[in-house]
Structure formats: structure tokens, C-alpha cells
């Protein structure tokens, strides 16, 4: 019963492959066996170049040209004037002395956001990974709970928390029910900045927890057994064994979280819109508003700001490569 069926399947495979044999053999004779791989890569390279390299090149043209015209033929060349305008400051520690004060407020906000968000993100992710790596009841369930926010869209996350934190939201309703005066969480500058950090950590912590958990599980168990036989304390085991062996994973988590924090936009834009004022405006939102939301649309200024941000991301990437190489060599 099976032999006729297998024969038919084999015949079908031979027929299907035979249809491709002639054009592939012709292409191989035409371009050569060493260049045949480029023929398969060419469609992807064209798409990648059209949607990645071409926009990068155009961005440089926009950064060195002026006016609010969108066509390059209608934009006069201004050289480095856009960069000079962004970097023009009497005192770089005081945004009020800068020509583009909103840009520098966005830079300072981004700096504080990166330091606080990444610091607490890595700390909480490490603590959560250490707990979830232990033999606790319902361990699989809690792993899923901590990872679940990562699956949500950033816009959905921001809308949920905006519903909770707005003036007549769930949190203020709960405070009012117990006799506590409601707080304007999203219109007070200090509270708004706190909440964008909190929501960002809540939304992305599960991803880094998963990476650290994988790093912890990759540590050989016999190392811990040897430390237990030697009578080492838990703190000494953590400091002398866990952290050194986990450090390559920690470097990856640190750099990935740094790059994501610098590029933060979605949750913050939906949650606070950069307000109140410019209290929660980060660099990516400044680029968006300058180039697309404001009138006139200053494409050159936005392009120059994006190039400066790209330089920062490049530096962070190089630091990651150097740190990873040092860990591998060490």
C-alpha cells in the first residue's frame, strides 16, 4: 500500500526539483559558482538598502540643508548650521542659556531617564531572576506573569496606565475611597517623570529578567555544590560565583537596556505627551515634534538631532563590543 504512495511522492519531488534545475544550472554557468550566493542575497540587499541605507543618506542631506521644504531640490545647503544651532549654549548645564532650550531639556530628561530607568531595571530584573531561579511554588506561573507585559504593545501599556493614573482614574478613586486627597499624577512634573520610569520598567523588565534567568541557569550546578561543601555563605556564593559568571549576560542586558532607554518614545508620548510642559520630553519626542508635529516643520534640525542621537547609540554599541570582548578574553 505504501510503496505506490512513496513512489508517487518521490516522482513529485523529482519533477519539482527538475523544474528548477535548468534555470539554476544556467544561472550558475552565467555568474559562476562563487557568485551564485550573491544572486540569492541581491533581493534582500536591494530591500535593505532602499529602506535602511537610503534613508540614512537622505538624513545627512536633510541635516545639512535648510527651509521647511520636503524636496531636496528646494532645500538650500547650510552646512553645519543645524548642528551649530543645536549645540549653541552659553552654559551647557543651564538649558535656558541654550539657543534650542527644548532640545537641551530633552537631552537632560533623557540622561536622567536612562540613568534611573536602566539602573532600577537591571536591579529589579536581577532580583526577579534570582527569585525565579529558585525552587518556589508556581515558579512557571510567576515566570509567565513577569514576562506577560513584554507581549503587550507599548501603546496598550501606556493607555492602561493612563487610565489608572489620570485625574479621575482608578488610583485616585482608590485614594479617595480611603480618605486620601487625589493627586495629579500626570500633570505634576516630578510625579509624571517618576511614572514614566515606573511604567517603562514594568513594561520591559520581563524581557531582561528572561535573559538573566537564562544566564543563571547556564551556570554549572557543581560549582554551587562545591561552594556548599566548603561552607560558603549565600552572600559569598553570590558575590564570588554568581556575579562573575553572570557578568557577560549582565553586560548584554545593560547595553540593550541603555539603547532602548535612549530610544524611548511610545509609552511616554501616549502617557504624558512630553508634559507637563517639557518635563517628560525625551530626545526622540523632540525629533518627532520638530520634524513632523510643529509648524514650520524643521526637517533639517530634526535630522541633525537624530544624527547626534545615532552617535550616542554608536558609542554605546562600541562599549558593548569592547566589554563583551574583555569578558571573553578574561
Amino acid at each position: 500500500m505504501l510503496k505506490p504512495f512513496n513512489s508517487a511522492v518521490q516522482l513529485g519531488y523529482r519533477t519539482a526539483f527538475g523544474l528548477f534545475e535548468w534555470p539554476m544550472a544556467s544561472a550558475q554557468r552565467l555568474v559562476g559558482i562563487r557568485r551564485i550566493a550573491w544572486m540569492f542575497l541581491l533581493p534582500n540587499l536591494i530591500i535593505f538598502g532602499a529602506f535602511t541605507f537610503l534613508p540614512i543618506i537622505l538624513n545627512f542631506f536633510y541635516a545639512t540643508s535648510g527651509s521647511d521644504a520636503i524636496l531636496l531640490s528646494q532645500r538650500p545647503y547650510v552646512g553645519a548650521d543645524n548642528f551649530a544651532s543645536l549645540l549653541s549654549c552659553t552654559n551647557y548645564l543651564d538649558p535656558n542659556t541654550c539657543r534650542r532650550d527644548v532640545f537641551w531639556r530633552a537631552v537632560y530628561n533623557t540622561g536622567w531617564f536612562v540613568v534611573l530607568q536602566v539602573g532600577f531595571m537591571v536591579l529589579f530584573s536581577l532580583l526577579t531572576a534570582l527569585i525565579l531561579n529558585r525552587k518556589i511554588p508556581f515558579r512557571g506561573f510567576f515566570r509567565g506573569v513577569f514576562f506577560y507585559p513584554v507581549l503587550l504593545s507599548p501603546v496598550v501599556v501606556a493607555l492602561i496606565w493612563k487610565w489608572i493614573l489620570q485625574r479621575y482614574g482608578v488610583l485616585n478613586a482608590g485614594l479617595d475611597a480611603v480618605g486620601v486627597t487625589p493627586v495629579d499624577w500626570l500633570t505634576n512634573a516630578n510625579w509624571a517623570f517618576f511614572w514614566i520610569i515606573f511604567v517603562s520598567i514594568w513594561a520591559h523588565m520581563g524581557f531582561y529578567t528572561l535573559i538573566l534567568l537564562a544566564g543563571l541557569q547556564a551556570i554549572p550546578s557543581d560549582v554551587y555544590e562545591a561552594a556548599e561543601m566548603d561552607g560558603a555563605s549565600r552572600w559569598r556564593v553570590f558575590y564570588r560565583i554568581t556575579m562573575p559568571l553572570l557578568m557577560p549576560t549582565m553586560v548584554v542586558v545593560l547595553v540593550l537596556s541603555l539603547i532602548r532607554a535612549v530610544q524611548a518614545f511610545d509609552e511616554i508620548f501616549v502617557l504624558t505627551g512630553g508634559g507637563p510642559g517639557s518635563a517628560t520630553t525625551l530626545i526622540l519626542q523632540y525629533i518627532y515634534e520638530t520634524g513632523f508635529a510643529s509648524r514650520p516643520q524643521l526637517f533639517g534640525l530634526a535630522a541633525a538631532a537624530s544624527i547626534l542621537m545615532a552617535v550616542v547609540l554608536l558609542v554605546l554599541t562600541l562599549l558593548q563590543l569592547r566589554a563583551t570582548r574583555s569578558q571573553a578574553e578574561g
Side-chain angles (χ1 to χ4, degrees), residues 193-226:
F193 199 80
F194 164 80
W195 282 112
I196 65 170
I197 294 173
F198 178 87
V199 171
S200 180
I201 293 174
W202 181 87
H204 303 292
M205 189 183 75
F207 174 72
Y208 303 107
T209 299
L210 187 67
I211 296 176
L212 290 173
L213 186 60
L216 288 172
Q217 293 179 346
I219 299 176
S221 58
D222 54 354
V223 178
Y224 290 110
E225 294 173 0

Side-chain angles (χ1 to χ4, degrees), residues 132 138-150 202 205-206:
L132 295 179
F138 306 105
R139 183 172 61 177
F141 169 77
F142 286 113
R143 288 178 178 177
V145 167
F146 277 98
F147 187 75
Y148 179 72
V150 180
W202 181 87
M205 189 183 75

